[in-house]
Amino acid sequence: MTLDTPVTTIEVRNPRTGVADYRFEPTTPAELKDIARAARAAQADWQALGLEARIAVLTRWVEKVDAAAPEIVAAVTADTGRHAESLREIGNIGKWVDRWSAVARTALTLEPTPTANPDIHSFADYAPYPVLGVISPWNFPLSLSLMDAIPALLAGCAVIIKPSEVTPRFVEPLVASIAEVPELAQVLHYVRGAGVLGAALVDEADMICFTGSTATGRKVASQAAARFIPCFTELGGKDPAIVLEGADLDRATSAILTGATLATGQQCYSIERIYVHRSLHDAFVAQLAEKARAVKLALPEPGDGRIGPLTFAPQAEIIGRHLEDARAKGAEVHSGGEIETHGGGLWCAPTVLSNVDHDMAVMTEESFGPLMPVMAFDTVDEAVRLANDSPYGLSGAVFGPEEAALAVARRLDLGGISINDAGLAPFFIGDATVAEKTAFKSSGLGGSRLGPDSIKRFSRRKALLVNRSTQKSPWWFDA
Ligand code: NDP
């Protein structure tokens, strides 16, 4: 994207009606350059404010967000077609500001440390990257745009966010809330446009946090590497769940159903494939299908039922292709199994499949829908081999007696593993007591988003070394 690249109005489809009922003028390349210049200039003052003052500014912003909650929630609901998740998304803002503030107070405190040489004293220092560029996807448009931005702001960075063009409605009311806090408005900016604007942002920023598909993540990481700036990528997944002999079946089916269908399965850490010990397999499938059939679509209103529409129409095509491929290769469908059209929106009910294997796309490619393909295994080694047989390594779940489940979890090439539950990791974003996790394989690159140390990603480290000796140093030429 150059300064001369023409930008045209972007039309946005409503996921519940299928109608393009929203349009916006994208940020132009020249505007992006101006915003980056202004953000860079404002960052020094933001850093100089100090941590407590930055916390106070963000806390004031949370009050403005709360006051504007009805408009923001309505916009996120229109973007995604979902209501309960939209409430969760806005709730995350205050929760993350509180949690990351507590983490920052500890993690960014500078303590002098003694060194092996009694004369030399070491002081750590942090120099925040001036401008963080955030590029975020459509599946949790509000939360994922802010997940890295909040700790980065606390660390002293200015932040420019390019959310997905698929779900841009929330930006207007959110930016209005930011504008009510002038100190924050200097250093927290949203720009709107398509992928090309994301690429332009990579050229302006000093550091990138990207959340999205592995295909785009590769492009962004390559572009950042060419500029020699750090790039943290959180990408696609194909999370496995393993149900061991001795697992509590009722617990496993409830947790897996939720973990696979929350937000209609449009989550990176959705359970997308399930391996069950053969002794439990038939009962598991029957129970999971019975529970799946009881989960209602969110119709006629977004607040009804649990399963919202498929937000992004091309994703419905991928899910449909996975179902067709599985059926053609002999999979049995126990619930759901179709892309349905209601009121112009595209929907998919919780779908339980059995008689599946790794020749099917539904077991190997990211579906990003509420699909629960179940495959039997005979030995723990086989379960581990199947779970690790994936290009992805984001997260997963193991059900069974705790020691046995932990032993299996330690053998999985996955970053975040829930034991006797599913999808626990995201609940602990910003929590000072949770362990770190990194993405394995094609699910991402870079340090953890979880755990107290993750806030340190936003600063360069400095070592300030003081020699307090009054004597000549023995390593000097003339000592
Ligand atoms: P995409 O990779 O298609 O898009 C992500 C963002 O990148 C969007 O803002 C997009 O803009 C932008 N973009 C597109 N092309 C470029 C480019 N060349 N340079 C810079 N930016 C670009 O992902 P989706 O939006 O489809 O999101 C779904 C994916 O995100 C799934 O694979 C899911 O697993 C993953 N994800 C990962 C998470 C994690 O934490 N690991 C969390 C949530 C989702 P635009 O949309 O406007 O074209």
Side-chain angles (χ1 to χ4, degrees), residues 124-468:
D125 199 9
Y126 294 105
Y129 287 96
V131 178
L132 167 68
V134 169
I135 301 171
S136 55
W138 51 261
N139 61 324
F140 285 94
L142 173 60
S143 296
L144 289 171
S145 72
L146 289 168
M147 190 179 277
D148 295 306
I150 288 171
L153 286 163
L154 287 168
C157 306
V159 182
I160 303 175
I161 301 169
K162 205 300 280 179
S164 171
E165 68 185 305
V166 177
T167 47
R169 296 169 180 83
F170 78 95
V171 175
E172 268 181 74
L174 193 73
V175 166
S177 74
I178 296 168
E180 289 190 59
V181 185
E183 304 96 308
L184 186 64
Q186 306 286 314
V187 288
L188 176 58
H189 301 269
Y190 275 82
V191 294
R192 294 200 297 181
V196 69
L197 185 68
L201 178 56
V202 180
D203 281 339
E204 297 296 336
D206 304 302
M207 172 187 181
I208 291 291
C209 284
F210 174 86
T211 308
S213 66
T214 298
T216 311
R218 271 185 218 287
K219 289 186 207 165
V220 169
S222 307
Q223 193 185 340
R227 287 201 58 225
F228 226 62
I229 59 169
C231 178
F232 294 86
T233 59
E234 297 275 350
L235 310 175
K238 187 73 186 169
D239 283 7
I242 296 178
V243 182
L244 299 171
E245 220 176 351
D248 177 336
L249 210 59
D250 187 39
R251 186 176 179 85
T253 50
S254 290
I256 288 173
L257 175 67
T258 308
T261 66
L262 194 81
T264 320
Q266 300 166 121
Q267 305 189 90
C268 52
Y269 51 85
S270 267
I271 297 294
E272 291 225 354
R273 53 202 171 106
I274 304 156
Y275 305 99
V276 181
H277 190 267
R278 198 172 297 281
S279 63
L280 298 174
H281 174 271
D282 293 356
F284 178 92
V285 170
Q287 198 178 99
L288 184 65
E290 191 187 332
K291 290 183 182 179
R293 283 190 289 267
V295 180
K296 299 277 176 264
L297 300 182
L299 286 168
E301 298 302 326
D304 301 329
R306 296 234 177 226
I307 306 293
L310 298 165
T311 301
F312 188 40
Q315 200 65 43
E317 282 172 35
I318 294 172
I319 296 167
R321 178 168 60 75
H322 288 187
L323 287 170
E324 208 173 293
D325 172 68
R327 272 204 183 86
K329 291 174 179 164
E332 197 180 329
V333 180
H334 300 265
S335 65
E338 304 291 341
I339 301 296
E340 305 170 22
T341 303
H342 300 286
L346 300 165
W347 301 71
C348 183
T351 295
V352 177
L353 305 168
S354 66
N355 205 26
V356 294
D357 61 36
H358 281 212
D359 286 335
M360 299 177 187
V362 76
M363 293 299 279
T364 55
E365 295 174 21
E366 188 178 46
S367 305
F368 227 51
L371 309 188
M372 293 167 281
V374 186
M375 186 173 170
F377 69 83
D378 292 300
T379 66
V380 166
D381 283 352
E382 187 189 1
V384 169
R385 181 180 59 73
L386 288 165
N388 284 340
D389 178 24
S390 171
Y392 297 109
L394 197 60
S395 43
V398 186
F399 292 82
E402 186 171 320
E403 279 313 307
L406 282 168
V408 168
R410 291 191 174 99
R411 296 173 63 191
L412 298 177
D413 297 333
L414 304 169
I417 304 172
S418 305
I419 308 293
N420 291 322
D421 206 336
L424 287 179
F427 289 105
F428 293 94
I429 297 284
D431 191 309
T433 57
V434 72
E436 299 208 346
K437 76 165 190 70
T438 42
F440 284 40
K441 301 194 266 190
S442 298
S443 286
L445 264 187
S448 178
R449 247 183 187 174
L450 212 63
D453 274 358
S454 71
I455 200 166
K456 295 180 183 170
R457 291 180 300 157
F458 302 107
S459 291
R460 294 150 297 178
R461 307 288 185 86
K462 287 171 141 179
L464 310 181
L465 299 168
V466 181
N467 188 342
R468 290 188 180 153

